[in-house]
Amino acid sequence: MIVFSWNIRGCNDPLKYQEVLDFFRAHKVDVFCVLETRIKEAKASNFFNKLKPFSVIHNYTCHANGRIWVVWNPFTVTVTPIAVHTQFIHCSVRHHSSCSQFHVTFVYASNDAKVRVALWSELCTLSASIEEWIVLGDFNVVRDASERISHHSFDLHDILEFNECILRCGLEDIKGIGCEYTWTNKQDNSRVWCKLDRAMVNSRWLIQFSSSSTNFLPAGVSDHSLMFVTIFSEANHRKRFSFLNFWVTDPSYVSVVQQAWAIPVYGSPMFRFFAKLRNVKHHLLDMHTSKFSNIQKRLDLAKSALADCQLQLQNCPLDSHLAQVEKRLLEEYTKLRGIELSILKQWSKADNVVYNHSGTSYFYGKSMNG
């Protein structure tokens, strides 16, 4: 699934408008946002008609120039607007084929620092009640002095306010490739370069869409880089990872977690934390594969072996060796049956579970799609 955002700096130019459409169609984008359209509402309907069958929401109710257009493919996603503001549009998105859901906030921040204060406040308010969340667009301010090349001075207070907002919202930049500086004034004698465009996500996003990445392409006909976020590849997308409660009863559980957590990871504190969680996840899945894979088949084999042994005991009831074998096979069968019941109880959230192999297949498969 792909989402992209581009400050096109005016869609009145047919060349720029065609550039947007070409990228959208070539990359099979699900949702895209066009910033700084500079098109009055009276003329916007002509452009929207050209976008059909794609759907559009905008912020003309807040700003006469329609600073933000959000366009999506209704055949692949459902986009529901939640909040429309002069500096952002906040939506929920549901991807049809994967059933994935998340919130996205498309931002076009004012170039006036005093006006941006209202944006930072609104974002902090939104962050209080959101699960998976991505915030992307043109923020019109850098996070750090290293994100700017210019002979002119800049206001450190603006940077501090932006970073305070990011911290309060619990956001983190998505890993990205491409252009380091996303905007330039394109002036020959006093060229300025800045990273004004970015995509940031919260901690829940890092868990659910850990492979997502951002690509910043050259500006082309605009003065801003086109930014697109690959949230997941549909071919490789999996359902949410589920921790199986019975894992903690395995003798190797603690050492597996400790070894995974001890793997060195570098980056920001939030990135290190979630990278370590991913390491633990993969090590636990490896443990599961090596010890508990094909549980239904193993359960059938254990039951069959136990029955065979007990039939042999019918013919040799005083055979102490067979009695020991029966004891071992019964322990193995009981252990596997307990694991099966644990999975069923965990996923059905019921204390009284009537289970069979077809039910186990459903729940077990569901639990392993992580």
Side-chain angles (χ1 to χ4, degrees):
M1 179 178 179
I2 295 177
V3 175
F4 89 76
S5 174
W6 194 11
N7 185 327
I8 194 65
R9 203 165 181 266
C11 253
N12 286 300
D13 185 341
L15 175 62
K16 291 184 177 181
Y17 186 77
Q18 193 60 45
E19 287 280 315
V20 172
L21 289 182
D22 288 349
F23 185 87
F24 184 82
R25 290 163 178 159
H27 292 80
K28 298 181 179 179
V29 176
D30 298 286
V31 185
F32 77 85
C33 179
V34 184
L35 305 175
E36 197 176 353
T37 64
R38 297 184 180 179
I39 295 176
K40 300 294 184 182
E41 186 173 10
K43 296 183 178 180
S45 58
N46 293 330
F47 290 88
F48 296 158
N49 286 333
K50 295 177 183 178
L51 289 169
K52 290 182 178 179
F54 304 126
S55 302
V56 185
I57 54 176
H58 50 74
N59 69 338
Y60 280 110
T61 56
C62 303
H63 199 285
N65 288 333
R67 291 161 55 87
I68 307 172
W69 292 357
V70 177
V71 185
W72 70 93
N73 183 348
F75 299 105
T76 62
V77 294
T78 297
V79 175
T80 304
I82 298 174
V84 178
H85 190 274
T86 56
Q87 299 182 79
F88 70 83
I89 293 180
H90 178 66
C91 316
S92 66
V93 178
R94 182 180 183 276
H95 188 248
H96 297 165
S97 62
S98 69
C99 295
S100 297
Q101 298 186 65
F102 57 88
H103 286 87
V104 56
T105 305
F106 293 102
V107 171
Y108 181 27
S110 171
N111 56 12
D112 185 335
K114 294 180 180 179
V115 177
R116 286 198 298 269
V117 172
L119 171 62
W120 307 150
S121 177
E122 292 285 350
L123 291 179
C124 290
T125 301
L126 288 174
S127 69
S129 58
I130 292 180
E131 294 192 353
E132 292 84 1
W133 186 31
I134 180 170
V135 185
L136 70 159
D138 175 5
F139 293 85
N140 256 315
V141 63
V142 298
R143 286 194 66 178
D144 185 84
S146 64
E147 295 182 347
R148 176 185 172 95
I149 299 177
S150 173
H151 296 296
H152 304 289
S153 61
F154 60 91
D155 192 338
L156 181 60
H157 181 69
D158 297 345
I159 296 177
L160 293 176
E161 285 186 334
F162 184 34
N163 279 290
E164 181 183 359
C165 170
I166 293 171
L167 181 63
R168 289 178 59 191
C169 292
L171 296 172
E172 180 80 13
D173 283 310
I174 304 181
K175 59 186 177 183
I177 59 174
C179 299
E180 182 177 357
Y181 303 102
T182 66
W183 173 83
T184 176
N185 61 359
K186 293 191 174 182
Q187 294 181 10
D188 295 333
N189 298 325
S190 56
R191 180 68 65 110
V192 177
W193 295 88
C194 292
K195 181 177 176 61
L196 301 181
D197 307 85
R198 62 196 333 121
M200 299 181 290
V201 296
N202 65 357
S203 58
R204 294 296 298 269
W205 181 283
L206 290 172
I207 295 174
Q208 178 69 354
F209 305 112
S210 58
S211 63
S212 56
S213 61
T214 310
N215 196 340
F216 297 94
L217 301 183
V221 297
S222 178
D223 55 358
H224 282 261
S225 293
L226 186 155
M227 169 179 57
F228 73 92
V229 180
T230 303
I231 298 175
F232 56 79
S233 168
E234 292 192 49
N236 299 323
H237 183 58
R238 297 181 177 183
K239 296 181 181 178
R240 188 189 302 269
F241 166 75
S242 297
F243 181 92
L244 297 179
N245 294 335
F246 74 85
W247 284 341
V248 300
T249 64
D250 187 82
S252 64
Y253 168 77
V254 173
S255 62
V256 167
V257 173
Q258 289 176 337
Q259 291 172 13
W261 196 263
I263 297 173
V265 177
Y266 304 97
S268 68
M270 183 184 291
F271 175 81
R272 292 200 305 271
F273 177 70
F274 286 100
K276 284 179 175 290
L277 287 181
R278 285 197 298 272
N279 289 338
V280 171
K281 165 188 169 180
H282 294 313
H283 278 67
L284 287 175
L285 289 176
D286 289 343
M287 180 189 78
H288 185 95
T289 300
S290 64
K291 293 189 173 185
F292 308 110
S293 61
N294 299 317
I295 190 169
Q296 290 180 46
K297 182 178 180 180
R298 294 171 65 183
L299 187 59
D300 289 339
L301 291 174
K303 184 177 182 179
S304 177
L306 177 61
D308 289 343
C309 181
Q310 290 173 338
L311 287 174
Q312 292 180 50
L313 275 171
Q314 289 289 322
N315 297 324
C316 305
L318 300 180
D319 190 322
S320 59
H321 174 69
L322 280 177
Q324 289 297 317
V325 172
E326 181 200 27
K327 180 180 179 181
R328 177 177 56 80
L329 291 175
L330 181 59
E331 289 175 351
E332 177 66 15
Y333 176 74
T334 302
K335 176 183 176 182
L336 292 173
R337 188 59 110 179
I339 291 172
E340 180 192 45
L341 183 58
S342 174
I343 294 173
L344 284 169
K345 282 186 175 181
Q346 185 173 343
W347 280 98
S348 66
K349 297 181 180 179
D351 291 330
N352 299 315
V353 179
V354 178
Y355 56 93
N356 52 41
H357 286 313
S358 60
T360 305
S361 177
Y362 168 76
F363 286 114
Y364 180 74
K366 184 177 181 181
S367 68
M368 285 298 95
N369 283 326

